């Protein structure tokens, strides 16, 4: 189906759903806004996943939420009653850690990471034996003071071993953390981002996403390629390459399921997958891809994931 073709509405179309399911062996699922919102699991989610498994389909949970490690996500899925295995979970924190340790592979000692983020990033970096500072360090959860300005400016507050700044969703971001991150970047650290989602859905509303945490750094660095981070999450093709490498999937027999056009659907399109399915329980609305200037469109869409039960 051409990228600019009109998306097919599958809700209520039993034959269309059957034909759709037959086209794919693997389904990549975004989580927030697709399977759940906050701690509310959408009706029919568990049953739909069970249906896919009963048909021999492979399921991979692909999330841009960097606040949780794969183990954390497994616990969340378990708590929500969604069966899963750790190896089925591929998050942006894990993707970032693997990239830093196995691809970037900076020489010691200048291979330390300054983290703007939460425990999910820290856990995945630790699993890959990557040293880090920042993150959830309580010493940085405070207002900046005059001495900080002086010590950051003269470099005495900076760790000389930091070679990477990794920006993710930081629920305690502040002026001090941003100042440190900026000066590490000015001194040549590699700029990475777990993802660039501007917002995240929770409790039926939108809140600042990881992209909003890193945006001030991009703005401070100014125009130019070096101001833009290397992105490890959706819609980065680097993440798709990593997923294919891990799961050995056939892209043409793989479908991306998500709620955001700019991340999930773009991820599937740019990654050369066989198709994409949008669900209307998250960020993007039908009007977004029906607009004449829509940058990307899904192949199919459903009102809710549970509609795939037919």
């Amino acid at each position: 189906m051409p990228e600019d073709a009109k998306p097919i509405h599958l809700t209520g179309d039993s034959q269309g759903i059957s034909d759709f399911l037959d086209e794919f062996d693997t389904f990549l699922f975004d989580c927030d806004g697709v399977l759940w919102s906050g701690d509310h699991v959408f009706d029919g989610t568990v049953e739909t996943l069970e249906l896919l498994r009963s048909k021999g389909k492979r399921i991979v949970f692909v999330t841009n939420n960097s606040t949780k490690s794969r183990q954390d996500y497994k616990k969340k899925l378990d708590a929500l009653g969604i069966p899963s295995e750790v190896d089925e979970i591929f998050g942006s924190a894990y993707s970032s850690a693997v990239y830093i340790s196995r691809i970037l592979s900076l020489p010691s000692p200048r291979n330390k990471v300054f983290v703007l983020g939460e425990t999910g990033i820290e856990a995945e970096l630790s699993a890959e034996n990557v040293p880090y500072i920042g993150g959830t360090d309580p010493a940085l959860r405070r207002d900046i003071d005059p001495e900080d300005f002086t010590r950051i400016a003269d470099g005495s507050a900076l760790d000389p071993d930091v070679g990477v700044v990794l920006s993710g969703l930081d629920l305690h971001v502040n002026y001090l953390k941003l100042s440190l991150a900026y000066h590490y970047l000015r001194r040549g650290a590699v700029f990475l981002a777990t993802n660039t989602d501007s917002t995240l859905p929770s409790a039926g509303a939108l809140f600042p996403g990881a992209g909003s945490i890193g945006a001030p750094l991009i703005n401070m660095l100014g125009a130019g390629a070096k101001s833009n981070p290397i992105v490890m999450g959706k819609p980065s093709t680097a993440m798709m390459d990593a997923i294919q490498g891990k799961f050995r999937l056939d892209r043409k027999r793989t479908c991306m399921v998500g709620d955001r056009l700019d991340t999930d659907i773009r991820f599937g399109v740019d990654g050369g997958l066989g198709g994409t399915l949008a669900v209307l329980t998250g960020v993007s609305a039908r009007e977004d891809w029906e607009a004449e200037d829509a940058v990307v469109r899904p192949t199919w869409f459903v009102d809710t994931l549970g509609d795939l039960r037919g």
Side-chain angles (χ1 to χ4, degrees), residues 63-98:
T63 174
N64 272 0
N65 186 342
S66 64
T67 65
K68 290 181 171 60
S69 66
R70 288 167 298 156
Q71 292 285 354
D72 291 335
Y73 245 87
K74 173 70 167 66
K75 292 176 182 177
K76 181 177 179 71
L77 288 162
D78 288 345
L80 294 175
I82 300 173
S84 68
E85 300 294 335
V86 171
D87 282 346
E88 294 177 323
I89 301 167
F90 205 97
S92 61
Y94 175 64
S95 180
S96 300
V98 168

mmCIF file of all heavy atoms in Angstrom, residues 63-98:
data_model
loop_
_atom_site.group_PDB
_atom_site.id
_atom_site.type_symbol
_atom_site.label_atom_id
_atom_site.label_comp_id
_atom_site.label_asym_id
_atom_site.label_seq_id
_atom_site.Cartn_x
_atom_site.Cartn_y
_atom_site.Cartn_z
ATOM 1 N N THR A 63 9.056 0.498 23.347
ATOM 2 C CA THR A 63 8.636 1.705 24.046
ATOM 3 C C THR A 63 9.715 2.767 24.073
ATOM 4 O O THR A 63 10.898 2.466 24.198
ATOM 5 C CB THR A 63 8.219 1.375 25.496
ATOM 6 O OG1 THR A 63 7.945 2.579 26.201
ATOM 7 C CG2 THR A 63 9.320 0.614 26.227
ATOM 8 N N ASN A 64 9.293 4.007 23.956
ATOM 9 C CA ASN A 64 10.196 5.152 24.089
ATOM 10 C C ASN A 64 10.304 5.629 25.529
ATOM 11 O O ASN A 64 11.048 6.557 25.818
ATOM 12 C CB ASN A 64 9.723 6.320 23.209
ATOM 13 C CG ASN A 64 10.278 6.242 21.801
ATOM 14 O OD1 ASN A 64 11.014 5.321 21.465
ATOM 15 N ND2 ASN A 64 9.925 7.208 20.970
ATOM 16 N N ASN A 65 9.558 5.016 26.430
ATOM 17 C CA ASN A 65 9.600 5.415 27.836
ATOM 18 C C ASN A 65 10.921 4.956 28.449
ATOM 19 O O ASN A 65 11.114 3.757 28.698
ATOM 20 C CB ASN A 65 8.422 4.814 28.592
ATOM 21 C CG ASN A 65 8.334 5.307 30.024
ATOM 22 O OD1 ASN A 65 9.293 5.823 30.580
ATOM 23 N ND2 ASN A 65 7.171 5.150 30.628
ATOM 24 N N SER A 66 11.815 5.899 28.692
ATOM 25 C CA SER A 66 13.144 5.558 29.205
ATOM 26 C C SER A 66 13.190 5.494 30.722
ATOM 27 O O SER A 66 14.240 5.177 31.294
ATOM 28 C CB SER A 66 14.168 6.584 28.712
ATOM 29 O OG SER A 66 13.882 7.878 29.234
ATOM 30 N N THR A 67 12.085 5.792 31.395
ATOM 31 C CA THR A 67 12.107 5.791 32.863
ATOM 32 C C THR A 67 12.127 4.376 33.433
ATOM 33 O O THR A 67 12.417 4.190 34.611
ATOM 34 C CB THR A 67 10.894 6.538 33.450
ATOM 35 O OG1 THR A 67 9.689 5.838 33.102
ATOM 36 C CG2 THR A 67 10.831 7.972 32.923
ATOM 37 N N LYS A 68 11.834 3.393 32.597
ATOM 38 C CA LYS A 68 11.793 2.013 33.056
ATOM 39 C C LYS A 68 12.779 1.140 32.281
ATOM 40 O O LYS A 68 12.910 1.264 31.062
ATOM 41 C CB LYS A 68 10.381 1.438 32.910
ATOM 42 C CG LYS A 68 9.357 2.027 33.867
ATOM 43 C CD LYS A 68 8.000 1.377 33.659
ATOM 44 C CE LYS A 68 7.015 1.791 34.752
ATOM 45 N NZ LYS A 68 6.792 3.236 34.810
ATOM 46 N N SER A 69 13.444 0.243 32.999
ATOM 47 C CA SER A 69 14.285 -0.762 32.360
ATOM 48 C C SER A 69 13.383 -1.875 31.840
ATOM 49 O O SER A 69 12.175 -1.894 32.107
ATOM 50 C CB SER A 69 15.279 -1.341 33.367
ATOM 51 O OG SER A 69 14.588 -2.078 34.375
ATOM 52 N N ARG A 70 13.982 -2.823 31.124
ATOM 53 C CA ARG A 70 13.180 -3.950 30.637
ATOM 54 C C ARG A 70 12.587 -4.742 31.815
ATOM 55 O O ARG A 70 11.422 -5.184 31.752
ATOM 56 C CB ARG A 70 14.046 -4.869 29.770
ATOM 57 C CG ARG A 70 14.390 -4.277 28.403
ATOM 58 C CD ARG A 70 15.484 -5.060 27.732
ATOM 59 N NE ARG A 70 16.707 -5.012 28.533
ATOM 60 C CZ ARG A 70 17.678 -5.926 28.485
ATOM 61 N NH1 ARG A 70 17.548 -6.973 27.696
ATOM 62 N NH2 ARG A 70 18.751 -5.808 29.223
ATOM 63 N N GLN A 71 13.368 -4.909 32.872
ATOM 64 C CA GLN A 71 12.845 -5.609 34.044
ATOM 65 C C GLN A 71 11.681 -4.841 34.671
ATOM 66 O O GLN A 71 10.680 -5.436 35.099
ATOM 67 C CB GLN A 71 13.958 -5.800 35.075
ATOM 68 C CG GLN A 71 15.060 -6.764 34.636
ATOM 69 C CD GLN A 71 14.634 -8.220 34.695
ATOM 70 O OE1 GLN A 71 13.550 -8.541 35.159
ATOM 71 N NE2 GLN A 71 15.485 -9.107 34.224
ATOM 72 N N ASP A 72 11.820 -3.508 34.720
ATOM 73 C CA ASP A 72 10.735 -2.678 35.253
ATOM 74 C C ASP A 72 9.483 -2.823 34.400
ATOM 75 O O ASP A 72 8.360 -2.897 34.921
ATOM 76 C CB ASP A 72 11.150 -1.202 35.281
ATOM 77 C CG ASP A 72 12.232 -0.910 36.298
ATOM 78 O OD1 ASP A 72 12.339 -1.660 37.279
ATOM 79 O OD2 ASP A 72 12.976 0.067 36.087
ATOM 80 N N TYR A 73 9.679 -2.844 33.089
ATOM 81 C CA TYR A 73 8.530 -2.958 32.196
ATOM 82 C C TYR A 73 7.859 -4.313 32.337
ATOM 83 O O TYR A 73 6.627 -4.428 32.270
ATOM 84 C CB TYR A 73 8.947 -2.700 30.738
ATOM 85 C CG TYR A 73 8.287 -1.463 30.200
ATOM 86 C CD1 TYR A 73 8.861 -0.208 30.370
ATOM 87 C CD2 TYR A 73 7.062 -1.532 29.545
ATOM 88 C CE1 TYR A 73 8.233 0.928 29.919
ATOM 89 C CE2 TYR A 73 6.429 -0.401 29.095
ATOM 90 C CZ TYR A 73 7.017 0.826 29.280
ATOM 91 O OH TYR A 73 6.382 1.952 28.842
ATOM 92 N N LYS A 74 8.670 -5.334 32.548
ATOM 93 C CA LYS A 74 8.106 -6.673 32.774
ATOM 94 C C LYS A 74 7.228 -6.657 34.023
ATOM 95 O O LYS A 74 6.110 -7.226 34.026
ATOM 96 C CB LYS A 74 9.247 -7.682 32.940
ATOM 97 C CG LYS A 74 8.804 -9.091 33.342
ATOM 98 C CD LYS A 74 8.071 -9.779 32.194
ATOM 99 C CE LYS A 74 7.899 -11.267 32.430
ATOM 100 N NZ LYS A 74 7.016 -11.613 33.553
ATOM 101 N N LYS A 75 7.680 -5.990 35.071
ATOM 102 C CA LYS A 75 6.887 -5.894 36.302
ATOM 103 C C LYS A 75 5.591 -5.124 36.043
ATOM 104 O O LYS A 75 4.526 -5.491 36.564
ATOM 105 C CB LYS A 75 7.691 -5.207 37.391
ATOM 106 C CG LYS A 75 8.875 -6.021 37.897
ATOM 107 C CD LYS A 75 9.689 -5.243 38.913
ATOM 108 C CE LYS A 75 10.896 -6.042 39.379
ATOM 109 N NZ LYS A 75 11.750 -5.269 40.316
ATOM 110 N N LYS A 76 5.664 -4.056 35.251
ATOM 111 C CA LYS A 76 4.463 -3.279 34.952
ATOM 112 C C LYS A 76 3.467 -4.113 34.145
ATOM 113 O O LYS A 76 2.263 -4.132 34.448
ATOM 114 C CB LYS A 76 4.813 -2.005 34.186
ATOM 115 C CG LYS A 76 3.589 -1.140 33.863
ATOM 116 C CD LYS A 76 3.963 0.142 33.171
ATOM 117 C CE LYS A 76 2.735 0.988 32.818
ATOM 118 N NZ LYS A 76 2.085 1.588 33.987
ATOM 119 N N LEU A 77 3.976 -4.814 33.137
ATOM 120 C CA LEU A 77 3.112 -5.665 32.328
ATOM 121 C C LEU A 77 2.461 -6.744 33.187
ATOM 122 O O LEU A 77 1.268 -7.024 33.049
ATOM 123 C CB LEU A 77 3.916 -6.287 31.187
ATOM 124 C CG LEU A 77 4.323 -5.329 30.058
ATOM 125 C CD1 LEU A 77 5.456 -5.920 29.233
ATOM 126 C CD2 LEU A 77 3.138 -5.019 29.156
ATOM 127 N N ASP A 78 3.256 -7.345 34.069
ATOM 128 C CA ASP A 78 2.701 -8.366 34.968
ATOM 129 C C ASP A 78 1.597 -7.782 35.847
ATOM 130 O O ASP A 78 0.536 -8.397 36.021
ATOM 131 C CB ASP A 78 3.806 -8.937 35.867
ATOM 132 C CG ASP A 78 4.777 -9.837 35.114
ATOM 133 O OD1 ASP A 78 4.447 -10.238 33.986
ATOM 134 O OD2 ASP A 78 5.858 -10.119 35.661
ATOM 135 N N ALA A 79 1.869 -6.594 36.404
ATOM 136 C CA ALA A 79 0.897 -5.963 37.297
ATOM 137 C C ALA A 79 -0.402 -5.619 36.575
ATOM 138 O O ALA A 79 -1.483 -5.624 37.181
ATOM 139 C CB ALA A 79 1.493 -4.708 37.917
ATOM 140 N N LEU A 80 -0.297 -5.340 35.287
ATOM 141 C CA LEU A 80 -1.475 -4.996 34.497
ATOM 142 C C LEU A 80 -2.159 -6.228 33.911
ATOM 143 O O LEU A 80 -3.161 -6.112 33.206
ATOM 144 C CB LEU A 80 -1.082 -4.039 33.372
ATOM 145 C CG LEU A 80 -0.590 -2.654 33.807
ATOM 146 C CD1 LEU A 80 -0.124 -1.838 32.599
ATOM 147 C CD2 LEU A 80 -1.685 -1.896 34.561
ATOM 148 N N GLY A 81 -1.582 -7.410 34.192
ATOM 149 C CA GLY A 81 -2.188 -8.642 33.693
ATOM 150 C C GLY A 81 -1.868 -8.942 32.249
ATOM 151 O O GLY A 81 -2.596 -9.689 31.586
ATOM 152 N N ILE A 82 -0.766 -8.381 31.740
ATOM 153 C CA ILE A 82 -0.364 -8.594 30.351
ATOM 154 C C ILE A 82 0.826 -9.542 30.328
ATOM 155 O O ILE A 82 1.928 -9.167 30.745
ATOM 156 C CB ILE A 82 0.010 -7.262 29.666
ATOM 157 C CG1 ILE A 82 -1.192 -6.313 29.680
ATOM 158 C CG2 ILE A 82 0.490 -7.501 28.242
ATOM 159 C CD1 ILE A 82 -0.880 -4.919 29.171
ATOM 160 N N PRO A 83 0.652 -10.773 29.855
ATOM 161 C CA PRO A 83 1.758 -11.737 29.823
ATOM 162 C C PRO A 83 2.897 -11.245 28.925
ATOM 163 O O PRO A 83 2.664 -10.690 27.848
ATOM 164 C CB PRO A 83 1.109 -13.001 29.243
ATOM 165 C CG PRO A 83 -0.355 -12.843 29.497
ATOM 166 C CD PRO A 83 -0.613 -11.364 29.367
ATOM 167 N N SER A 84 4.133 -11.446 29.376
ATOM 168 C CA SER A 84 5.283 -11.017 28.588
ATOM 169 C C SER A 84 6.542 -11.686 29.104
ATOM 170 O O SER A 84 6.561 -12.247 30.205
ATOM 171 C CB SER A 84 5.458 -9.495 28.653
ATOM 172 O OG SER A 84 5.833 -9.103 29.969
ATOM 173 N N GLU A 85 7.607 -11.605 28.319
ATOM 174 C CA GLU A 85 8.935 -12.031 28.713
ATOM 175 C C GLU A 85 9.872 -10.838 28.570
ATOM 176 O O GLU A 85 9.652 -9.980 27.707
ATOM 177 C CB GLU A 85 9.427 -13.197 27.844
ATOM 178 C CG GLU A 85 8.564 -14.441 27.894
ATOM 179 C CD GLU A 85 8.561 -15.099 29.270
ATOM 180 O OE1 GLU A 85 9.543 -14.908 30.012
ATOM 181 O OE2 GLU A 85 7.571 -15.793 29.591
ATOM 182 N N VAL A 86 10.919 -10.801 29.383
ATOM 183 C CA VAL A 86 11.857 -9.678 29.317
ATOM 184 C C VAL A 86 12.431 -9.521 27.911
ATOM 185 O O VAL A 86 12.590 -8.405 27.408
ATOM 186 C CB VAL A 86 12.999 -9.860 30.344
ATOM 187 C CG1 VAL A 86 14.102 -8.824 30.128
ATOM 188 C CG2 VAL A 86 12.459 -9.744 31.758
ATOM 189 N N ASP A 87 12.715 -10.643 27.247
ATOM 190 C CA ASP A 87 13.312 -10.597 25.915
ATOM 191 C C ASP A 87 12.358 -10.062 24.850
ATOM 192 O O ASP A 87 12.776 -9.793 23.719
ATOM 193 C CB ASP A 87 13.811 -11.975 25.496
ATOM 194 C CG ASP A 87 15.143 -12.330 26.147
ATOM 195 O OD1 ASP A 87 15.791 -11.414 26.693
ATOM 196 O OD2 ASP A 87 15.533 -13.509 26.113
ATOM 197 N N GLU A 88 11.067 -9.941 25.198
ATOM 198 C CA GLU A 88 10.103 -9.375 24.255
ATOM 199 C C GLU A 88 10.027 -7.853 24.363
ATOM 200 O O GLU A 88 9.307 -7.221 23.590
ATOM 201 C CB GLU A 88 8.703 -9.941 24.514
ATOM 202 C CG GLU A 88 8.553 -11.420 24.237
ATOM 203 C CD GLU A 88 7.168 -11.928 24.582
ATOM 204 O OE1 GLU A 88 6.582 -11.470 25.593
ATOM 205 O OE2 GLU A 88 6.648 -12.786 23.835
ATOM 206 N N ILE A 89 10.758 -7.284 25.309
ATOM 207 C CA ILE A 89 10.669 -5.848 25.584
ATOM 208 C C ILE A 89 11.902 -5.142 25.042
ATOM 209 O O ILE A 89 13.033 -5.538 25.327
ATOM 210 C CB ILE A 89 10.539 -5.607 27.105
ATOM 211 C CG1 ILE A 89 9.282 -6.315 27.632
ATOM 212 C CG2 ILE A 89 10.477 -4.112 27.406
ATOM 213 C CD1 ILE A 89 9.217 -6.412 29.144
ATOM 214 N N PHE A 90 11.679 -4.105 24.262
ATOM 215 C CA PHE A 90 12.781 -3.340 23.678
ATOM 216 C C PHE A 90 12.490 -1.867 23.913
ATOM 217 O O PHE A 90 11.652 -1.268 23.259
ATOM 218 C CB PHE A 90 12.904 -3.625 22.182
ATOM 219 C CG PHE A 90 14.286 -3.378 21.638
ATOM 220 C CD1 PHE A 90 15.192 -4.408 21.473
ATOM 221 C CD2 PHE A 90 14.691 -2.092 21.301
ATOM 222 C CE1 PHE A 90 16.474 -4.186 20.982
ATOM 223 C CE2 PHE A 90 15.959 -1.845 20.813
ATOM 224 C CZ PHE A 90 16.857 -2.900 20.652
ATOM 225 N N GLY A 91 13.188 -1.285 24.880
ATOM 226 C CA GLY A 91 12.948 0.104 25.242
ATOM 227 C C GLY A 91 14.070 1.021 24.804
ATOM 228 O O GLY A 91 15.168 0.573 24.457
ATOM 229 N N SER A 92 13.801 2.318 24.838
ATOM 230 C CA SER A 92 14.800 3.294 24.400
ATOM 231 C C SER A 92 15.988 3.365 25.356
ATOM 232 O O SER A 92 17.109 3.668 24.944
ATOM 233 C CB SER A 92 14.168 4.677 24.241
ATOM 234 O OG SER A 92 13.637 5.143 25.468
ATOM 235 N N ALA A 93 15.768 3.067 26.643
ATOM 236 C CA ALA A 93 16.883 3.049 27.596
ATOM 237 C C ALA A 93 17.827 1.900 27.262
ATOM 238 O O ALA A 93 19.055 2.057 27.273
ATOM 239 C CB ALA A 93 16.362 2.920 29.021
ATOM 240 N N TYR A 94 17.268 0.744 26.958
ATOM 241 C CA TYR A 94 18.070 -0.423 26.575
ATOM 242 C C TYR A 94 18.801 -0.161 25.260
ATOM 243 O O TYR A 94 20.005 -0.435 25.136
ATOM 244 C CB TYR A 94 17.171 -1.640 26.438
ATOM 245 C CG TYR A 94 17.857 -2.887 25.920
ATOM 246 C CD1 TYR A 94 18.868 -3.496 26.650
ATOM 247 C CD2 TYR A 94 17.472 -3.451 24.705
ATOM 248 C CE1 TYR A 94 19.488 -4.647 26.170
ATOM 249 C CE2 TYR A 94 18.084 -4.593 24.224
ATOM 250 C CZ TYR A 94 19.090 -5.188 24.956
ATOM 251 O OH TYR A 94 19.715 -6.321 24.482
ATOM 252 N N SER A 95 18.086 0.389 24.296
ATOM 253 C CA SER A 95 18.677 0.713 23.002
ATOM 254 C C SER A 95 19.861 1.670 23.168
ATOM 255 O O SER A 95 20.912 1.502 22.539
ATOM 256 C CB SER A 95 17.619 1.337 22.080
ATOM 257 O OG SER A 95 18.152 1.658 20.823
ATOM 258 N N SER A 96 19.705 2.657 24.044
ATOM 259 C CA SER A 96 20.769 3.639 24.278
ATOM 260 C C SER A 96 21.986 2.991 24.925
ATOM 261 O O SER A 96 23.134 3.254 24.530
ATOM 262 C CB SER A 96 20.251 4.767 25.180
ATOM 263 O OG SER A 96 19.156 5.425 24.587
ATOM 264 N N ALA A 97 21.750 2.148 25.917
ATOM 265 C CA ALA A 97 22.853 1.498 26.619
ATOM 266 C C ALA A 97 23.650 0.592 25.689
ATOM 267 O O ALA A 97 24.892 0.570 25.729
ATOM 268 C CB ALA A 97 22.318 0.701 27.803
ATOM 269 N N VAL A 98 22.944 -0.153 24.862
ATOM 270 C CA VAL A 98 23.608 -1.040 23.910
ATOM 271 C C VAL A 98 24.418 -0.228 22.896
ATOM 272 O O VAL A 98 25.556 -0.587 22.562
ATOM 273 C CB VAL A 98 22.572 -1.933 23.192
ATOM 274 C CG1 VAL A 98 23.196 -2.647 22.003
ATOM 275 C CG2 VAL A 98 21.984 -2.938 24.165
#
